[in-house]
Amino acid sequence: MNKKQTQRVLIASLVGSSIEWFDYFLYGTVAALVFNQLFFVNEDPTVGLLLAYASFALAFFIRPFGGVVFSHIGDRIGRKKTLVLTLSLMGIATFGMGLLPTYQAIGVWAPILLITLRLIQGLGIGGEWGGALLLAVEYAPEDKKGLFGSIPQMGVTIGMLMGTIALWIMTLLPDDSFMTWGWRVPFILSAFLVIFGLWIRKGIDETPAFKKVQESGEIPKLPIVDTLKYHWREVLIAIGAKVVETAPFYIFSTFIVSYATTNLGFDRTEALTAVMVATVVTTILIPIMGNLSDKVGRKKLYVTGTIAMALFAFPYFWMIQQGSVALLVLATVIGLGIIWAPITAVLGTMFSEIFEAKVRYTGISLGYQIGAAVAGGTAPLVATALLAEFNNSYIPVALYIVFTSLISLVAIWAVKDKGQQRAGQKIIVKGSRV
């Protein structure tokens, strides 16, 4: 594969992933600002807010189903065709949200339609991640799989940044204008991003690994059955390894905004700024860490990040308790920006290396999406419940982060580090030539 093709594959993987997560996070941001007032109308505003957040969390639990449906297509028909489907589905759902009539216009049908479109988003993102990752990894040269596999992981943080910036621009409008039409603009304009993403993906071929499976005639009739029958251990490893990547992410990026403003006296802008700065840092570090994993091994980098996550849990909360904006930003940058980066950078490549090519899409999607549903969507709720139960003490929440780290360390124990093996092979080859 020449340099131009390589660039197009990586751009296709990154752009699609970024657009999907932009659409996904956009909903989460707007849910608390708009949907609680225009769609989930209730006499008690707290109930409206809870319903809006519940609709946000709902997509986490539909994601594994999206993973199963689209990974079946991905392992049977191909990675490229599946990615076109998932991106189109996500784009249609997000665009549709921007055009939805409100509760005041059509009554109870407004929240029903909104939830339906949110579920379609969940299906789309459930299938997108595995495809975007395999597009990058299965095209990668042997000695650059860590770097290539880290590129679609950047889509999570880039999409989050894009969603936050788009909403921030719209909130500059007068309140009436924002609530009437301003919030709709990012949803509607996302259609142009989707068209661009589809154009980029149209110009690439099917991955070499999938072509080999096609040529060998080993395409399984029901990839999900083969995966659960012969690779259930690998699925459990992937679910466990996902826990420390997803739970602390939502604590550092979502829970902290409400905790810092409600419990610690920071204003919303200060909390969001801390998250924004940390997100920029981690976006820069992800490909650097992916590249490093090709040299030192994926497992070593992942374990280092996971241990650091456990060790930083208590210092993190101590730092933000001091009431200093500088310490709030620094703590969030260390946790979300620096420690989280190596964990997420190697996660996808590591998952892809523990499954055979013929069930790889299904295996990694199941592990990733079930892990996200169990530990990711629930993390802010668990953290909030622990605060309420223990008189606003942060100690149980810090222990929760330590607990997620321990689960993932146990899960990763069984993984053979192929990144490290390759690094060792290169040294042997070089030595034999001398």
Side-chain angles (χ1 to χ4, degrees):
M1 187 169 63
N2 61 42
K3 191 176 180 181
K4 192 174 180 181
Q5 285 176 308
T6 303
Q7 288 174 344
R8 192 170 184 108
V9 165
L10 290 178
I11 290 169
S13 178
L14 178 61
V15 166
S17 181
S18 300
I19 293 165
E20 292 268 5
W21 287 106
F22 166 73
D23 290 352
Y24 196 72
F25 283 125
L26 191 60
Y27 184 100
T29 310
V30 174
L33 296 173
V34 177
F35 293 160
N36 58 324
Q37 297 177 53
L38 298 185
F39 290 88
F40 301 100
V41 178
N42 195 284
E43 289 178 8
D44 185 347
T46 307
V47 174
L49 183 61
L50 285 171
L51 288 170
Y53 274 139
S55 69
F56 172 71
L58 197 61
F60 279 90
F61 294 95
I62 204 75
R63 275 165 59 175
F65 296 100
V68 170
V69 170
F70 288 108
S71 61
H72 174 85
I73 300 168
D75 279 330
R76 292 275 302 158
I77 299 171
R79 313 333 188 187
K80 180 190 167 181
K81 292 187 179 88
T82 311
L83 284 171
V84 169
L85 276 172
T86 56
L87 189 56
S88 302
L89 200 66
M90 196 78 170
I92 290 165
T94 307
F95 183 76
M97 285 177 184
L99 300 177
L100 273 185
T102 62
Y103 183 90
Q104 287 79 2
I106 59 169
V108 74
W109 279 105
I112 290 171
L113 289 170
L114 182 65
I115 288 171
T116 303
L117 291 175
R118 180 60 176 167
L119 291 176
I120 292 171
Q121 275 194 335
L123 286 172
I125 203 79
E128 164 69 23
W129 178 82
L133 178 87
L134 293 185
L135 186 67
V137 171
E138 291 185 345
Y139 261 113
E142 282 298 310
D143 60 344
K144 289 187 178 177
K145 286 192 181 293
L147 173 61
F148 276 52
S150 69
I151 300 300
Q153 294 296 86
M154 293 168 66
V156 179
T157 49
I158 290 173
M160 188 176 166
L161 275 173
M162 286 164 57
T164 307
I165 291 166
L167 256 297
W168 178 77
I169 292 169
M170 288 299 111
T171 53
L172 297 176
L173 292 167
D175 280 353
D176 287 349
S177 299
F178 175 74
M179 292 301 289
T180 307
W181 59 267
W183 69 269
R184 297 179 182 272
V185 174
F187 286 87
I188 293 169
L189 291 182
S190 72
F192 293 102
L193 292 174
V194 170
I195 291 166
F196 174 67
L198 290 172
W199 174 75
I200 285 284
R201 285 181 172 179
K202 189 182 177 185
I204 54 173
D205 199 4
E206 192 49 78
T207 71
F210 183 75
K211 283 182 177 178
K212 282 182 184 176
V213 174
Q214 275 184 318
E215 289 164 8
S216 68
E218 291 184 349
I219 294 176
K221 287 183 180 178
L222 285 171
I224 182 69
V225 173
D226 281 21
T227 304
L228 293 176
K229 189 174 180 180
Y230 303 112
H231 302 278
W232 59 270
R233 287 183 185 85
E234 287 87 347
V235 171
L236 288 177
I237 288 168
I239 292 169
K242 175 68 178 167
V243 170
V244 76
E245 189 256 5
T246 194
F249 173 80
Y250 284 102
I251 288 175
F252 293 151
S253 65
T254 305
F255 166 76
I256 187 56
V257 176
S258 60
Y259 179 67
T261 51
T262 308
N263 295 61
L264 304 179
F266 292 99
D267 66 45
R268 192 174 180 81
T269 307
E270 290 166 344
L272 286 172
T273 300
V275 174
M276 287 272 287
V277 173
T279 307
V280 172
V281 172
T282 203
T283 305
I284 294 166
L285 281 179
I286 285 171
I288 295 170
M289 293 297 169
N291 188 47
L292 183 61
S293 78
D294 287 319
K295 297 176 174 63
V296 303
R298 272 160 282 286
K299 185 174 178 179
K300 187 179 288 185
L301 213 56
Y302 176 92
V303 169
T304 302
T306 304
I307 291 171
M309 187 69 77
L311 293 175
F312 186 61
F314 281 92
Y316 168 75
F317 280 100
W318 179 85
M319 287 170 77
I320 63 175
Q321 290 279 329
Q322 304 309 305
S324 160
V325 176
L327 283 176
L328 172 67
V329 173
L330 181 61
T332 311
V333 165
I334 294 171
L336 179 60
I338 297 171
I339 294 174
W340 184 74
I343 298 171
T344 198
V346 304
L347 195 75
T349 310
M350 198 163 61
F351 283 5
S352 73
E353 289 173 337
I354 63 175
F355 291 98
E356 292 179 66
K358 62 183 179 181
V359 294
R360 188 172 287 151
Y361 203 143
T362 303
I364 65 170
S365 296
L366 266 183
Y368 188 93
Q369 302 302 350
I370 293 173
V374 171
T378 57
L381 293 173
V382 170
T384 305
L386 287 171
L387 281 179
E389 181 68 26
F390 294 95
N391 298 320
N392 287 327
S393 169
Y394 70 79
I395 292 173
V397 185
L399 287 172
Y400 174 61
I401 293 175
V402 174
F403 178 63
T404 64
S405 304
L406 293 175
I407 289 174
S408 292
L409 284 174
V410 169
I412 212 66
W413 198 263
V415 173
K416 291 179 181 177
D417 196 339
K418 293 190 179 179
Q420 183 64 56
Q421 288 171 1
R422 289 196 188 99
Q425 285 165 4
K426 283 164 69 180
I427 292 166
I428 291 167
V429 170
K430 285 177 183 174
S432 65
R433 285 177 182 169
V434 174

